[in-house]
Structure formats: C-alpha cells, structure tokens
C-alpha cells in the first residue's frame, strides 16, 4: 500500500530491473507537480534551492526514522524532535465539518507552500505510527528496488512492492541461480 509519505520517500527511485539506472526524482518539476496534485497540496513548482534542500533532508531523516521503527523500536527522542520541528512550521485551524451526516472536527491548514507540504508528509507518517503498525513498514525484497511500502495484507507476508513485477523478477532470478548451480 502506498501512502503520501511512502510516495515521497520513493522519489529516490531505484531501477528494479537492472539496478543500473537510479534516479532522484525529487528535483524534477514533473514529479513535484504530480505529487502535489495526487495529494491535493499546493506549492510553487519548481521548488527553489532552499526548499529542495529542506525536502532532501526530510526524505533522508524520514527514511532513517521509518527504518528504525520498522524493526519494532520505538520512536527515539531525537527523531521525534525532528518530526516535531517539521510540524511546528505550520499553524492549523480547527473546523467542524459534516461527513456523511456525522459531525467531525478537522484540523485545517490555511497555508500553502513547501513547508506545509513537508508538515503534511510528516503528519501522514505520524498517522501510520498512531493508527497503523510500524512493523508493517517494508522495503521491497528485490535488492535493486528498495521501494518503501506499507504491508496491509492480513498475513503480513508481503515481500515485494509488486508481486507481478519485482516478485516475478526475483522468482526468475532464483530459478536461474538454481539452474546454474545444477550445471556447475
Ligand atoms: Zn520492488
């Protein structure tokens, strides 16, 4: 399952087929535009140098934090501080809304821009920690791919970002390795 924060981390793209063509998509205006539209966020495209540096740091930090909590470790004070610093940059307003005839209280952000986007990404990650199970955070088992995803299967045994793509590829690789061993 892809979420806003995993979508963000996966901007650090790895060639899952050959392992030859890795690409950082974060600086690409087309990637930025697609990300904003998909998650209904507003910011200027392209992000300027300073904003891009902030986003790169966020991605690296979030990646470390996700890897840490995925092992079952609780969120360290240092990582929590960083996430809180990112959240502190935006102010939210409380707003009553009617959701399917049910009155709900929402936190609505009035700002736009990359600081707000960063805070939304952190909030989305926080939601996974609060309402999900951090031990379900996975990296694709194809060592060339390393796609980050959330395993929402009942059995908690999802190993690949996509069974049809990386799953099949690894099956073929294992088969070929066995054939080679038989011959030698
Ligand atoms: Zn994969």
């Amino acid at each position: 399952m892809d979420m806003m924060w995993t979508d963000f981390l996966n901007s650090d793209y790895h060639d899952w087929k050959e392992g030859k063509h890795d690409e950082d998509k974060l600086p690409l205006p087309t990637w930025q535009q697609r990300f904003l539209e998909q998650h209904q966020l507003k910011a200027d495209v392209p992000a300027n140098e300073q904003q891009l540096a902030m986003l790169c740091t966020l991605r690296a930090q979030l990646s470390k934090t996700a890897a840490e909590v995925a092992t079952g470790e609780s969120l360290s004070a240092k990582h929590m501080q960083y996430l809180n610093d990112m959240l502190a940059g935006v102010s939210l307003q409380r707003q009553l809304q009617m959701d399917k005839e049910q009155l709900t209280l929402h936190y609505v952000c009035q700002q736009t821009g990359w600081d707000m986007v960063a805070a939304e990404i952190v909030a989305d990650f926080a939601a996974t920690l609060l309402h999900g199970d951090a031990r379900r955070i996975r990296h694709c088992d194809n060592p060339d791919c390393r796609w980050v995803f959330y395993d929402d299967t009942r059995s908690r045994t999802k190993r690949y970002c996509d069974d049809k793509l990386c799953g099949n590829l690894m099956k073929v690789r294992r088969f070929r390795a066995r054939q080679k061993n038989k011959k030698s």
Side-chain angles (χ1 to χ4, degrees), residues 5-14 24 26 31 51-69 75-76 78-79 82-83 86 118 121-122 125 139 148:
W5 71 268
T6 59
D7 187 11
F8 176 67
L9 287 193
N10 289 326
S11 59
D12 185 14
Y13 177 80
H14 301 284
D24 183 2
L26 192 54
W31 185 90
Q51 292 158 340
L52 198 57
M54 177 274 289
L55 292 169
C56 279
T57 308
L58 171 62
R59 189 177 59 184
Q61 284 288 338
L62 207 53
S63 175
K64 262 191 232 163
T65 309
E68 187 181 84
V69 295
L75 188 64
S76 69
K78 200 176 110 200
H79 286 171
Y82 176 78
L83 297 179
M86 297 307 289
I121 292 166
V122 170
F125 176 67
H139 283 87
V148 184

Side-chain angles (χ1 to χ4, degrees), residues 79 147 178:
H79 286 171
W147 189 266
R178 275 201 301 272

Side-chain angles (χ1 to χ4, degrees), residues 16 140-142 145-147 160-162 165-167:
W16 60 276
C140 178
D141 249 9
N142 171 1
C145 175
R146 287 174 276 161
W147 189 266
Y160 301 105
C161 63
D162 191 320
L165 302 174
C166 282

